Amino acid sequence: MTARRLPTYYISHGGGPWPYMDDNMRRRFDKLEASLLSIRNEWGSAARAALIVSGHWETPEFAVSSAAAPGMVFDYYGFPEHLYDIKYDAPGSPELAVRVLAMLQAGGFACESDPERGFDHGTFSLMKPLCPNGEMPIVQLSIKQDLDPQAHLSVGQLLAPLRDEGVVIIGSGSSFHNLGLRGPAAVEPSRQFDDWLQQTLLATSTDERRRRVVAWTQAPHARTAHPREDHLIPLMVALGAADKESAALVFHQDDFFGSWALSSFRFGDPLCLGTQTSSVER
């Protein structure tokens, strides 16, 4: 491992276009925002681009966004009208898109280039706090519609060399994602699933960690936490890209949306020391 190898992340990205919300609505995301600001400090000056694996982009086979100036994808509902006119002006990186495409194809995975895909909120909700002026080029990688954990772990392993090239790999989803379950009924299922996820990622050997995430449906309340695992699968890519490295908890909130336990994780060491996270070395 080189001294400049960037860590990878699985981040619970919050609700809709929250960085663009006003006043009290935005304040609900203060803890998440603080965690993102801390994460940005972990990269120093080493990160030159971001590869975001968003749970909001599914394709039959893998796809990579290749536009030089991506547009926006407003894949949320019921928000005030002005939140459908926002623009996050970060550039894309056709060069990085070509590199990602080649890496996956060389590893035996079908992958297509999509020059039309814009930033969905799984991407811009994170990157607005991380890089508020849109100064970092961004490429998005879709998740494959079969949602196969092992395939996404393998894709992450193929992408690992990007970490030595100044590319930060972020899996963007949510550690609990059952939009129909709020209030007291959500408390215990979300706590138990979150406890299992933290135990799996922070306190097991890397071999056991991999085995457990592939068999994630055996976790307590697995299908309550993820009736459909589109928001969990980005974890597999981030974890695969740091397969043998230690994990750290970089965000946790017990009362997200009033009742959900949500967490975010880092894999690999931060480049800038001094961040306050919970980690288990092994």
Side-chain angles (χ1 to χ4, degrees):
M1 185 189 308
T2 73
R4 304 299 292 170
R5 168 165 278 201
L6 285 159
T8 72
Y9 298 87
Y10 171 62
I11 296 177
S12 294
H13 61 231
W18 66 264
Y20 298 87
M21 293 178 181
D22 300 320
D23 302 327
N24 290 337
M25 289 187 68
R26 194 176 192 281
R27 295 284 68 80
R28 298 176 185 177
F29 300 91
D30 280 352
K31 291 181 181 178
L32 175 59
E33 183 171 18
S35 75
L36 293 171
L37 296 176
S38 179
I39 285 169
R40 183 63 184 89
N41 290 333
E42 295 179 356
W43 309 341
S45 60
R48 64 171 183 85
L51 177 65
I52 311 294
V53 185
S54 173
H56 287 274
W57 187 21
E58 295 182 43
T59 51
E61 302 291 345
F62 290 102
V64 60
S65 64
S66 57
M72 302 289 283
V73 177
F74 300 121
D75 56 347
Y76 43 79
Y77 305 94
F79 289 89
E81 186 175 350
H82 74 274
L83 294 175
Y84 298 89
D85 294 322
I86 58 178
K87 175 65 174 172
Y88 183 62
D89 282 323
S93 175
E95 298 81 9
L96 177 57
V98 168
R99 176 98 168 98
V100 171
L101 183 76
M103 294 172 91
L104 265 62
Q105 290 178 342
F109 287 95
C111 186
E112 298 181 350
S113 175
D114 187 338
E116 303 299 326
R117 181 68 184 186
F119 297 140
D120 60 62
H121 83 260
T123 295
F124 68 75
S125 65
L126 300 180
M127 295 306 297
K128 177 64 174 176
L130 286 169
C131 296
N133 298 316
E135 59 268 33
M136 184 176 293
I138 299 168
V139 167
Q140 296 174 119
L141 177 67
S142 72
I143 57 174
K144 191 179 175 187
Q145 283 176 350
D146 63 8
L147 304 178
D148 176 18
Q150 185 57 61
H152 289 81
L153 278 168
S154 297
V155 162
Q157 290 174 322
L158 292 173
L159 296 171
L162 294 175
R163 299 171 56 203
D164 298 316
E165 301 170 15
V167 179
V168 60
I169 298 172
I170 299 174
S172 176
S174 186
S175 62
F176 184 92
H177 194 248
N178 185 338
L179 298 179
L181 188 63
R182 306 279 181 94
V187 172
E188 195 58 26
S190 70
R191 299 296 184 279
Q192 290 193 30
F193 185 80
D194 194 82
D195 287 348
W196 174 88
L197 190 61
Q198 289 196 40
Q199 175 70 21
T200 295
L201 298 178
L202 303 177
T204 64
S205 69
T206 53
D207 288 344
E208 178 68 5
R209 182 172 73 179
R210 190 184 311 109
R211 185 195 69 77
R212 285 169 65 117
V213 298
V214 168
W216 73 272
T217 56
Q218 298 176 20
H221 299 285
R223 280 301 180 191
T224 301
H226 292 278
R228 192 171 183 275
E229 58 268 36
D230 49 306
H231 275 54
L232 184 66
I233 287 297
L235 164 65
M236 311 304 170
V237 181
L239 179 59
D243 190 38
K244 297 293 186 180
E245 297 174 56
S246 61
L249 183 69
V250 294
F251 165 73
H252 179 75
Q253 187 169 340
D254 274 327
D255 59 351
F256 200 84
F257 290 153
S259 55
W260 292 5
L262 282 193
S263 294
S264 299
F265 300 89
R266 182 187 71 233
F267 304 101
D269 294 329
L271 296 186
C272 296
L273 301 179
T275 52
Q276 298 299 310
T277 54
S278 302
S279 63
V280 176
E281 303 289 340
R282 54 203 182 280

